[in-house]
Amino acid sequence: MVQGFVTGALRNLSRDKDNYWRATIEAGGVDIPVGLLSSDNAAAQSNAASLLALLMLAFGDSIPKVIDSGAVQALLQLVDQNSDISVRASAADALEALSSNSTKAKKAIVDAGGVTILIGAIVAPSKECMQGEFGQALQGLATWALANICGGISALILYLGELSQPPLLAAPFADITGSLTDALMVFEQNAGADEESFDATKIEDILVKLLEPH
């Protein structure tokens, strides 16, 4: 319980961005939260993942340290296997922050098998009947993390379309098409400059081909 309260306090303190994050880094602010990702306390795990997300967004220099600490594998494991929805959502938040501005981070997530895990996380709320804000957060954050890796939501849609066809099928077909559905919904809700350059006929052709044998 103490770990949960202390990590929550650290997360709340993070609003003082300028002074807090530099002091946090100097005091072991990467290694300690990463270590708490393997805690037996769900609140500590969730708060530690949220703290890492805030740290990476506010202080980009921390990203290489987060990668070197082994956090990528730990976060992917939490997204994939943890039974607590809030922990999974917080881990997805950290992965989204990690993948947002770092090519090295994107490669680290892919190399750790993160694409298949994130696809599973996108469809997990539907498959596991999750309800409430944490289920929605898990779905949305996992979608954006995967979009970051692919180069944007439009690129993600085309990637998932291609991935759904043999011999590229690297995850269960239903998971891929389910995540494609969610990605299309996100695209519709956030359409902007991407919409003008997005060739919808490409994904339409793929979907038509998928309908024929199925």
Side-chain angles (χ1 to χ4, degrees), residues 68-139:
D68 293 341
S69 71
V72 172
Q73 192 64 54
L75 290 168
L76 287 171
Q77 187 173 352
L78 290 180
V79 167
D80 189 32
Q81 299 176 5
N82 199 282
S83 59
D84 190 290
I85 302 174
S86 67
V87 174
R88 294 172 74 174
S90 295
D93 186 21
L95 288 168
E96 196 279 329
L98 184 62
S99 62
S100 60
N101 292 305
S102 169
T103 302
K104 183 180 178 181
K106 295 173 187 177
K107 184 178 185 303
I109 294 171
V110 171
D111 290 346
V115 170
T116 301
I117 290 174
L118 287 169
I119 287 173
I122 292 171
V123 297
S126 300
K127 290 177 68 174
E128 301 175 32
C129 300
M130 296 178 186
Q131 296 181 351
E133 60 178 310
F134 291 121
Q136 293 177 355
L138 173 61
Q139 187 175 62

Side-chain angles (χ1 to χ4, degrees), residues 179-213:
S179 59
L180 175 57
T181 301
D182 291 319
L184 286 165
M185 292 172 65
V186 170
F187 176 80
E188 184 180 12
Q189 293 164 2
N190 296 272
D194 254 8
E195 190 175 21
E196 297 177 5
S197 60
F198 180 58
D199 185 1
T201 59
K202 290 183 179 179
I203 193 65
E204 287 171 357
D205 289 344
I206 291 172
L207 292 173
V208 169
K209 287 178 183 177
L210 289 176
L211 278 173
E212 292 171 354

